[in-house]
Amino acid sequence: MLTVSFWLAVFSMTMILVFESIGLLEGLLPDTAKFRNAFRASSLTAVLSSVLGTSPTVAAAESAAGIVEGGRSGLTALVGGALFLLTLVFIPLLAYVPQAAVAPVIIITGALMMQHLENIQFQDFSEWFPAFLIIVLIPLTNSISTGLAFGFAAHPMMKVFTGRRHELGTLSYVLGVLFLLQLVFEAAQ
């Protein structure tokens, strides 16, 4: 716990969990009044999963399918969970699925995510360039956290360089500095 690499990993995972939860819950919950409870539930499950030694439990994009079909009471999640338990029997069969069969699904998922590019202000360089860095550097660095770090470090820097630092709050600058430090420490290792 006393190493820089440990804290870099903790910071990276925390930022990924936070932004993944924000993005997914914003897409799944049209009622912003429910955000607070949803974020509390998400943080509780993330803490519990770390105590149990499993990967973080977060809301999944697949939850949208249940919500669109009308599953809002929690019964959908319970049925889905029970069906996932049944699939444990088939896990050994996954060894027979080639990686090439998985790639098209990931590519299509990435392509579907591109529809949200319309929300980027392309007339403002200080807005679109950090988004461009994230989009390009995630696949080029083969790391979600590194791609996000470049974008989140670049955004406040772009605002400062263009003389528009008042457009961002203090938290954006704090995150920008932390992401920049992450990149510097990763490069030094």
Side-chain angles (χ1 to χ4, degrees), residues 3-24:
T3 64
V4 172
S5 58
F6 172 80
W7 289 106
L8 285 174
V10 168
F11 177 72
S12 295
M13 287 302 299
T14 302
M15 291 299 103
I16 289 171
L17 281 171
V18 166
F19 290 114
E20 182 179 26
S21 293
I22 289 171
L24 287 169

Side-chain angles (χ1 to χ4, degrees), residues 62-166:
E62 292 80 5
S63 302
I67 292 171
V68 167
E69 293 301 321
R72 300 182 193 280
S73 67
L75 185 59
T76 307
L78 291 175
V79 171
L83 291 173
F84 270 114
L85 281 175
L86 290 175
T87 64
L88 289 174
V89 177
F90 301 104
I91 286 178
L93 298 176
L94 290 177
Y96 297 108
V97 177
Q99 288 295 322
V102 178
V105 175
I106 295 171
I107 292 169
I108 291 169
T109 303
L112 289 171
M113 292 169 64
M114 299 308 273
Q115 69 186 349
H116 298 289
L117 290 177
E118 69 184 24
N119 299 323
I120 297 173
Q121 300 170 9
F122 284 105
Q123 68 280 2
D124 184 355
F125 183 76
S126 69
E127 291 292 326
W128 71 258
F129 186 69
F132 168 78
L133 288 176
I134 292 171
I135 293 165
V136 170
L137 291 174
I138 286 175
L140 290 179
T141 62
N142 201 26
S143 168
I144 294 171
S145 65
T146 301
L148 286 173
F150 272 99
F152 280 98
H155 191 237
M157 284 194 291
M158 296 301 294
K159 293 297 182 182
V160 169
F161 294 153
T162 57
R164 297 166 39 205
R165 65 179 143 262
H166 63 278

